[in-house]
Amino acid sequence: MEWEALFLTFKLAAITTFILVIISIPIAYWLAFTKSKIKPILETLISMPLVLPPTVLGFYLLIIFSPSSQLGGWLQEYIGIQLIFSFTGLVFASVIYSLPFMVHPIQAGFTKIPNSIIEASYVLGKSKLTTLIRVMLPYIKPSLLTGIVLGFAHTIGEFGVVLMIGGNIPGKTKVASIAIYDEVEALNYEAANEYSLVLFGVTFSILLIVYLINGGYIKRSTL
């Protein structure tokens, strides 16, 4: 078993999750409170990865950001960014593919906040930003935690998107899911089982902790 593939997997998941937190909070906030007519369109676009085959999304990203395309060529020539067959490309694709798993729980959390709590903060002279950071985010902590864990776990299990956009380059884009596929193709089931057990154990443990925290079991057990 190549530990490098596992390290790359968790590195990708950690970076992707960090980026998702930064961009998902303002998106979810806007979706929860806006009355704009374009809200359904944006919600549809964000939710597309939930129903769209990963290979379809990966294919279009491959076409759009290929060095032979206008956008991909411009990024590589003027900014020095190559998204195809690179770790940077994996991060970009993972952010798009895992975005609904982060946005939806946070958006649901925002919609459940009582208006009285928000209005009380405004009456006390707090700005919208202060209210968001000191009142709303602590209130939706279970939703935020759920989004973080779902985004992290979903990124760990990605296959189609990362294969299409990143290929299978050892030490660069070969993550654990691709390594499992390679081992199965080579009929090396023992190595595939080792990869699978590690991913299964990590994701199971993370999800279990979230359910325990959100269910209040850990808090009650410490009283």
Side-chain angles (χ1 to χ4, degrees), residues 190-202:
E190 183 178 353
N193 180 56
E194 291 175 352
Y195 283 117
S196 301
L197 283 176
V198 172
L199 296 185
F200 179 87
V202 170

Side-chain angles (χ1 to χ4, degrees), residues 42-52 100 104:
L42 183 57
E43 286 182 317
T44 300
L45 291 174
I46 292 175
S47 301
M48 284 293 288
L50 295 174
V51 296
L52 196 66
H104 288 169

